[in-house]
Amino acid sequence: MIFDVKMDFTRKARFVANGSRTRDLAESTYAGVVSRETVCIALTYAALHDLDIMAANIRNAYLQAPISVKYWTTLGPEFGSELKGRRANIVRALYGTKSAGSDFINHLRDCMEKMGFSSCLADPDLWMRKAVSDTGEH
């Protein structure tokens, strides 16, 4: 477990798995990041066509995604005496697991598609949807 101390002196605990102790997965576990070149091209295109841009940074990204592999842990004393020693199933992607990247990107893909976005063929980490003007035109 890792504890981060934030600027307001509160602490945030985060579990990190030891992925080196788990089996290798057959499928890709890569979670990409949009390239700098793609961002420059997209911003230039948007400026030339007077389009609005939306950008986001997803904090605690992996913690939003359901996990595809079954993991469990034995709870330590930090969970209190009533839970210490009990087993807990992990239900969200966990930093350090070999499947966390692909679990997150699959969850992100589902969310983006539900909101009407599609992934760019040239760079799958750039998501787009048709612009709609104030008059409702595409």
Side-chain angles (χ1 to χ4, degrees):
M1 184 183 312
I2 296 174
F3 288 99
D4 291 335
V5 177
K6 298 188 287 185
M7 292 303 288
D8 63 358
F9 299 106
T10 60
R11 286 188 271 181
K12 176 175 95 176
R14 151 178 38 182
F15 280 102
V16 178
N18 184 354
S20 66
R21 298 181 65 192
T22 59
R23 64 178 172 79
D24 288 334
L25 302 174
E27 66 274 358
S28 172
T29 59
Y30 176 73
V33 175
V34 66
S35 74
R36 184 177 313 157
E37 292 82 7
T38 298
V39 171
C40 289
I41 292 167
L43 291 174
T44 301
Y45 183 87
L48 290 172
H49 295 281
D50 197 30
L51 300 174
D52 291 332
I53 296 289
M54 289 188 290
N57 181 20
I58 304 169
R59 296 191 60 180
N60 302 321
Y62 287 4
L63 301 179
Q64 306 301 317
I67 199 164
S68 63
V69 179
K70 291 185 179 185
Y71 292 106
W72 60 271
T73 187
T74 303
L75 301 177
E78 63 273 11
F79 288 92
S81 59
E82 67 280 354
L83 296 176
K84 181 182 174 187
R86 295 184 66 184
R87 291 175 80 179
N89 291 324
I90 308 297
V91 296
R92 296 284 179 209
L94 193 60
Y95 288 102
T97 60
K98 293 179 180 170
S99 64
S102 63
D103 289 340
F104 170 70
I105 202 67
N106 290 335
H107 180 64
L108 177 65
R109 184 179 299 113
D110 291 343
C111 292
M112 295 300 281
E113 288 173 353
K114 284 179 184 172
M115 292 188 295
F117 286 86
S118 60
S119 183
C120 176
L121 293 175
D123 187 337
D125 298 311
L126 175 69
W127 291 86
M128 308 170 291
R129 70 177 174 192
K130 286 189 176 188
V132 179
S133 68
D134 293 337
T135 61
E137 295 179 40
H138 288 275

